[in-house]
Amino acid sequence: MAVQWLLVCHGLVTLLVVTSFLCGQWPIFQGTFISHIHYFITLGAYDYFQRFVGIVFGSRGTNAIHSVENYCCDRPNPILQVIYLTIIAATYYMIVQSSFSYLPGYYISGVHRYTSLLAVGVGILLFLLTSFSDPGTVNAENVSEYLSAYPYDNVIYLEKECSTCKIPKPARSKHCSICDRCVARFDHHCGWMNNCIGERNTRYFLAFLLWHFLLCVYGAVAIAFILAGRLKELQVIHILTVYYGIESSFRSLAPQVAQ
């Protein structure tokens, strides 16, 4: 019973934190404890941390925090790229160690040892293409070409000049404050790619997203076939129904099989 109540409390706390984080700014929650939790999660905790460092280490500690913040959030850096590659490598290593010994299985062939590596390799290739390709940088040399390709419609896109680059801004372009450059058909700056997403690499970015969705589906289905094969090979259903007398129905067998 204690474990059940612990799970209930954990679920309620999780729901409260997620709701506060996502919806704490809504007018309906203004002035409530949910808005206070939202402030603490998004700004308050970091503000208190800065004050604590300032009290303990003085201006030198505060300046160090600002330098780290500037490097991590306001300038190009490879932190999220390294995290992505680490996640991919660690996940694939765990899959190899836990599942490859069951290939080939009752429902799945041994060829997936190689197709899984190929699938991960394609995903990394799309990641590299998106990360290191030119998103469509607009400069003084090529701005006339982009002005011809993306004319102003004088409704949404008006003739403007980039205040930083001091060149005309083609329609749908934007100056990225992180990369400090104008990008044609700018979509967003992606921290995971450490690159802007624009005219020339949007196709790589969309292919990356689609491929990783398919990669997750492929992995989930393959592991499900491996588990189903192990259940068949070990005759789990037969043992549960014949030797333990469990009713041969999904409702009765599912908890036992999952266990």
Side-chain angles (χ1 to χ4, degrees):
M1 184 61 70
V3 174
Q4 293 176 350
W5 278 109
L6 182 63
L7 291 175
V8 170
C9 293
H10 179 273
L12 292 175
V13 171
T14 302
L15 179 63
L16 175 63
V17 171
V18 172
T19 302
S20 301
F21 179 72
L22 297 178
C23 312
Q25 286 184 308
W26 290 8
I28 191 175
F29 295 121
Q30 188 173 3
T32 66
F33 67 95
I34 291 181
S35 65
H36 296 320
I37 295 174
H38 173 83
Y39 171 77
F40 180 79
I41 294 174
T42 56
L43 296 172
Y46 183 60
D47 184 47
Y48 294 142
F49 174 70
Q50 284 185 309
R51 294 182 186 179
F52 172 77
V53 171
I55 293 173
V56 176
F57 300 101
S59 59
R60 182 175 298 181
T62 305
N63 292 336
I65 290 177
H66 290 163
S67 298
V68 172
E69 179 184 354
N70 181 69
Y71 176 77
C72 293
C73 303
D74 299 327
R75 289 293 176 266
N77 67 80
I79 294 175
L80 290 179
Q81 289 176 299
V82 173
I83 291 176
Y84 162 78
L85 293 174
T86 302
I87 291 173
I88 289 293
T91 303
Y92 188 70
Y93 175 78
M94 288 188 291
I95 292 296
V96 169
Q97 292 297 313
S98 64
S99 303
F100 273 29
S101 58
Y102 302 116
L103 295 177
Y106 192 88
Y107 294 113
I108 191 168
S109 70
V111 72
H112 293 279
R113 290 172 177 264
Y114 310 104
T115 56
S116 61
L117 179 61
L118 177 63
V120 172
V122 171
I124 293 176
L125 175 62
L126 292 172
F127 170 77
L128 296 175
L129 286 172
T130 310
S131 296
F132 297 105
S133 59
D134 178 22
T137 304
V138 182
N139 50 45
E141 287 74 26
N142 62 17
V143 66
S144 59
E145 299 176 13
Y146 282 114
L147 287 171
S148 300
Y150 300 101
Y152 305 113
D153 61 7
N154 294 319
V155 178
I156 298 177
Y157 303 106
L158 307 176
E159 185 174 352
K160 293 181 181 179
E161 180 182 89
C162 177
S163 58
T164 304
C165 299
K166 303 302 180 183
I167 59 175
K169 292 180 62 176
R172 302 181 65 184
S173 69
K174 184 180 179 181
H175 186 89
C176 177
S177 59
I178 297 177
C179 294
D180 194 26
R181 60 183 173 183
C182 282
V183 177
R185 209 174 72 198
F186 181 86
D187 188 86
H188 70 288
H189 178 89
C190 182
W192 290 101
M193 305 296 176
N194 193 27
N195 197 7
C196 295
I197 307 302
E199 180 199 48
R200 295 190 177 181
N201 63 356
T202 299
R203 58 186 182 275
Y204 299 140
F205 179 71
L206 293 177
F208 170 85
L209 296 179
L210 176 62
W211 187 261
H212 278 67
F213 168 74
L214 296 175
L215 185 64
C216 291
V217 173
Y218 170 47
V221 172
I223 291 175
F225 278 128
I226 290 174
L227 291 173
R230 291 299 293 163
L231 290 174
K232 186 72 173 181
E233 291 165 353
L234 297 175
Q235 296 184 319
V236 173
I237 302 298
H238 178 75
I239 292 172
L240 289 174
T241 55
V242 174
Y243 291 94
Y244 288 91
I246 296 175
E247 181 184 352
S248 182
S249 65
F250 178 81
R251 176 177 295 183
S252 300
L253 287 173
Q256 302 297 327
V257 171
Q259 184 179 10

